[in-house]
Amino acid sequence: MTMRVGNGFDIHRFSSDPDRPLVLGGIVVTGSPGLMGHSDADVVAHAVADALLGAVGLGDIGMLFPDTDERWRGADSIGLLEEVVRRLRVDGWRVVNVDCSVVAERPAIAPYRDQMRERLSAVVEAPVSVKGRRAEGIGGLGRAEGIACMASALVERDQ
Ligand code: MG
């Protein structure tokens, strides 16, 4: 059995478009502006995808789904994460678990944590934990200019 660990980090700035939804971990969070990005800007799904790709050495989501490619404009990032998991499986990898820390001054993550965990767990077919954390007023995240997410992923395969 071979095991590998990977980490992923992503950060997106809030959009000034009031009609843009905020999507975190595949869940639409109401009552908050959305994040700017080429895709749906799901910072949690992106960090998880990068942690998985990093674990197996398959690059990162910027390489797989470049933001210069019109195919990914407005893309559902859960779909991108599904594609990442599919590529891992092709190479014989299974996800053991994923752990995420979402850094957001607002909105509060806790009310959505269980829904995010369930959605992400269904996609990676392994336990996913999601923790919300405020930035204590420090820097751009502390000024609520955007949201960041860090993720760790463990994967395994038979040889
Ligand atoms: Mg991103």
Side-chain angles (χ1 to χ4, degrees):
M1 184 79 75
T2 303
M3 301 190 108
R4 297 261 191 94
V5 66
N7 75 79
F9 172 79
D10 198 25
I11 184 166
H12 283 256
R13 186 179 289 279
F14 280 115
S15 166
S16 54
D17 177 357
D19 296 326
R20 198 171 158 82
L22 175 60
V23 184
L24 295 175
I27 302 301
V28 175
V29 173
T30 54
S32 172
L35 295 168
M36 274 169 52
H38 186 67
S39 66
D40 63 4
D42 186 337
V43 70
V44 181
H46 294 177
V48 171
D50 262 359
L52 293 170
L53 290 169
V56 302
L58 279 177
D60 59 51
I61 52 170
M63 290 165 58
L64 262 58
F65 314 109
D67 63 8
T68 49
D69 190 329
E70 283 304 308
R71 272 182 301 169
W72 314 123
R73 181 177 295 282
D76 171 5
S77 296
I78 288 292
L80 306 185
L81 182 57
E82 283 170 345
E83 172 61 16
V84 166
V85 172
R86 191 191 67 78
R87 290 190 189 208
L88 261 68
R89 285 216 189 89
V90 167
D91 280 357
W93 296 102
R94 295 175 296 274
V95 182
V96 177
N97 77 302
V98 177
D99 182 29
C100 307
S101 292
V102 185
V103 183
E105 202 63 30
R106 58 180 177 267
I109 300 303
Y112 298 92
R113 191 173 47 204
D114 288 350
Q115 282 174 271
M116 287 181 210
R117 205 182 58 206
E118 281 166 25
R119 185 88 202 269
L120 294 166
S121 296
V123 176
V124 305
E125 295 185 355
V128 178
S129 64
V130 177
K131 309 183 301 294
R133 186 76 174 85
R134 293 190 193 283
E136 303 295 333
I138 299 167
L141 290 171
R143 290 189 296 273
E145 292 173 9
I147 297 178
C149 182
M150 283 160 282
S152 303
L154 186 68
V155 299
E156 65 180 8
R157 72 176 172 191
D158 291 332
Q159 78 281 332

